[in-house]
Amino acid sequence: MTPAYQTYERMKAFVGFDDADAGRLRRLAPVFAKHGATITDGFYATLEQYPETAKLIEGRVDALKATHHRWMQELFSGSYEQEYFDNRMRIGVAHVRIGLDPMFVEGVMSYLRTAGLLAIREEFADAEEVSVLAGSYVKVLDLDLLVINLAYGDERLDRLTRFTGMSRKLLERCIVHG
Ligand code: HEM
């Protein structure tokens, strides 16, 4: 078990992400099958407005939207173990490689929280049910963000190791102790 996967498991426990959350997320799959495309269109419209993000998606918006749609379907698969984690790490690394500033990933997650909560509210009448389902939705997004940020941290340390020739352990010690 890698240290990154251990961190993911610890954080799942920390936020109280359990089988009940997994079950609720499976229940949400049809909601996002219905609203997912509109939500995705919404944040791609924003990405097209900012030069730093527009240049990265230029000429391949439709393909990226399809990729994003698959990512969204996986959010509601009900299975959040090693395979899910590995997949999310790969996504993080893909964004580091293209030089995307992580603040834009944070921004998209914020958009997804808001848009997703509106979609859930539209599909369920009972306020108690909405709040419980919304809780699981927010937790899984935050865990995804955590993994993407782990990938950013990991990849940046790897690059520094290659560039400076310093060992990973030494670099980590420098970061912690200044
Ligand atoms: C919540 C935030 C985001 C999620 C969940 C997400 C999801 C994904 C996924 C699943 C992939 C495919 C990765 C793979 O090859 O396995 C991907 C790739 C990509 N994403 Fe995102 N994305 C997010 C934010 C962004 C933002 C803010 C941009 C801004 C431009 C962006 C641009 C791209 C690009 C250009 C690729 C293709 C990378 C390549 O050429 O390998 N993404 N994204």
Side-chain angles (χ1 to χ4, degrees):
M1 198 186 277
T2 61
Y5 186 69
Q6 274 172 3
T7 303
Y8 170 67
E9 282 296 337
R10 284 187 73 204
M11 291 315 290
K12 266 167 56 177
F14 189 94
V15 300
F17 185 90
D18 56 21
D19 289 347
D21 289 298
R24 286 185 211 113
L25 289 167
R26 267 196 303 270
R27 281 189 63 208
L28 285 173
V31 174
F32 286 83
K34 181 175 165 191
H35 294 266
T38 310
I39 293 175
T40 302
D41 286 349
F43 84 73
Y44 271 91
T46 304
L47 294 180
E48 281 173 330
Q49 285 168 29
Y50 290 80
E52 303 99 308
T53 49
K55 69 173 187 221
L56 295 171
I57 60 174
E58 195 181 357
R60 50 175 172 163
V61 168
D62 287 342
L64 286 169
K65 279 183 181 174
T67 304
H68 191 265
H69 188 65
R70 270 198 306 280
W71 167 84
M72 196 180 270
Q73 285 173 326
E74 287 159 14
L75 275 184
F76 307 104
S77 66
S79 177
Y80 307 94
E81 314 303 329
Q82 181 84 52
E83 202 183 327
Y84 183 85
F85 169 81
D86 290 344
N87 174 286
R88 269 34 190 166
M89 275 301 262
R90 263 196 306 276
I91 293 169
V93 171
H95 292 100
V96 186
R97 295 234 162 98
I98 57 168
L100 175 66
D101 188 319
M103 77 179 183
F104 291 111
V105 178
E106 302 270 356
V108 167
M109 280 299 183
S110 171
Y111 170 86
L112 290 170
R113 284 188 203 101
T114 312
L117 294 182
L118 289 175
I120 295 169
R121 215 175 58 190
E122 204 173 306
E123 298 300 326
F124 295 89
D126 182 70
E128 173 68 26
E129 196 176 23
V130 168
S131 76
V132 173
L133 290 168
S136 299
Y137 173 67
V138 169
K139 275 190 223 173
V140 81
L141 285 186
D142 285 341
L143 286 169
D144 262 52
L145 185 57
L146 173 111
V147 177
I148 294 175
N149 283 335
L150 280 176
Y152 266 103
D154 246 26
E155 186 72 13
R156 285 177 170 188
L157 271 180
D158 278 353
R159 284 179 187 201
L160 266 180
T161 304
R162 283 197 301 273
F163 184 71
T164 63
M166 287 163 76
S167 75
R168 171 110 181 199
K169 241 189 185 145
L170 182 57
L171 277 173
E172 278 169 355
R173 235 182 280 148
C174 289
I175 292 167
V176 174
H177 301 295

